[in-house]
Every structure is written in structure tokens, then in C-alpha cells.
Amino acid sequence: MLSIEPFESRWISQVKELTDQEIGLNYYTALELEEKMNLSILHKKTASFVLLDNKNVVAVRLTFPHGCWKSGKGQILSERLWPHPLAQTAYFQSLFIKKEYRGKGWGKALSLTSIGVLKELGCQGVVCHSWAESPQNSSKKYLDSLGFKSICTYPEYWSAIDYQCPRCGTPCLCTAE
């Protein structure tokens, strides 16, 4: 039985295993994931969610409400191009889904659940960084389906992060959009 649940501390070790498998070893540490979980909470409402299959984490959507964040995993932002100021803008940090659960609408369901919470909190907009080299451009296609618009691109966006990119190795040379 699949269910979407708020991201809580009891899921950190499974989320760490998922991110190691899906994006590369040590993209997130357990401590970082705890910090991300805490950044997800505003007025006792959690904006980050996990997809569970019989209590096993098979996907995670990390989302930070407005006022709870200042940068993405990489440090580049283009606030001057946004329709809303940073203080009123939420951030989609990351979405990871196990391969066998992809293409079934779970990423969109997780993101819409987060957006619902953000609306309740009075958020004016959401920004994120799409992975330009994702297979079949799936990252951008999924964000387009949610109504996101491209603002700009950042070559080698994740290059300063010390992890093993499954596509490039170290450093990561992938492009964020």
C-alpha cells in the first residue's frame, strides 16, 4: 500500500539510502537531511514528504516554505528574475524517486502535496533547480507539468558539492535550469 506522509526524523536513514542510490553517494549526509527536515517546517506544518510502500521510503520531496531558506544545494540564485521576493518564495530542494516508481505520477503527487501546504502557509511562489541532464529531460518535463517556467541556466551548478555524481563523477558538471 503506497502512502504519502510528512518527512519526519524516523525516515532519515531510509531517505539517506535513497539519495545515495539515486543521486550519488553522500549528496546528503544524515545530519544534512535532519537540517532539511527542520527547514521544511513552518507554523507546525511540514512541506516535505516521503512516499512509502509498506513503511519503506521509495521517494522524497524536500520543500522549504518561504522564510525558511536562503539558497539551494548549489549557491546560485537569480532573485532579480523572480516574480516574488525571496521572503515570499518557497524552494523545491530535491525530488528523488526509486526507478521502479517513476513515471507513475508519484513525483507530481508529492509536489502537489507540498504545494498544498505552501498555499496554506501563504507562500506567493516556488522556485527550484531542474536537472538539465536528467534522462529524457524528465526533470524539466515534470516541472513544466506543474506550471513552472524556466528563468535561466547554471552550467556546473553542483560542482562545488563534494559527492560522487552518478553521471559525471567528481566534480559534478551537470547543468541546473
Side-chain angles (χ1 to χ4, degrees):
M1 175 65 102
L2 294 169
S3 63
I4 294 175
E5 302 290 334
F7 179 30
E8 299 175 346
S9 59
R10 62 184 166 154
W11 306 121
I12 289 175
S13 65
Q14 287 190 53
V15 170
K16 168 81 169 109
E17 288 175 29
L18 174 68
T19 60
D20 280 352
Q21 176 185 350
E22 297 301 324
I23 193 62
L25 190 60
N26 295 320
Y27 185 76
Y28 286 117
T29 66
L31 180 60
E32 242 185 323
L33 287 169
E34 184 175 357
E35 291 169 357
K36 303 301 180 194
M37 180 193 67
N38 290 328
L39 288 173
S40 299
I41 302 168
L42 181 64
H43 305 303
K44 298 184 181 180
K45 292 183 185 261
T46 301
S48 289
F49 293 89
V50 294
L51 175 64
L52 301 174
D53 188 350
N54 295 316
K55 300 200 185 254
N56 294 309
V57 173
V58 297
V60 62
R61 153 51 67 212
L62 298 177
T63 303
F64 309 141
H66 59 290
C68 295
W69 68 283
K70 290 189 170 100
S71 71
K73 186 76 170 162
Q75 299 300 309
I76 304 168
L77 296 174
S78 295
E79 293 175 64
R80 71 190 185 288
L81 302 175
W82 302 352
H84 305 288
L86 176 64
Q88 296 174 342
T89 304
Y91 185 66
F92 272 6
Q93 172 78 55
S94 295
L95 172 67
F96 299 110
I97 304 171
K98 282 191 175 188
K99 188 174 188 173
E100 57 269 29
Y101 295 86
R102 293 182 200 151
K104 298 178 177 159
W106 290 111
K108 190 170 189 175
L110 284 162
S111 296
L112 289 173
T113 303
S114 289
I115 289 169
V117 170
L118 297 173
K119 285 180 179 179
E120 289 176 25
L121 293 169
C123 175
Q124 298 298 304
V126 182
V127 296
C128 64
H129 292 94
S130 173
W131 178 32
E133 290 83 4
S134 63
Q136 291 85 43
N137 205 17
S138 59
S139 180
K140 184 172 182 343
K141 287 178 185 175
Y142 131 81
L143 290 167
D144 287 347
S145 78
L146 289 169
F148 282 81
K149 303 290 182 217
S150 179
I151 294 175
C152 56
T153 59
Y154 305 106
E156 301 180 12
Y157 177 76
W158 294 278
S159 63
I161 301 168
D162 185 20
Y163 85 107
Q164 182 76 33
C165 174
R167 182 183 173 278
C168 312
T170 303
C172 176
L173 302 175
C174 293
T175 304
E177 183 174 337

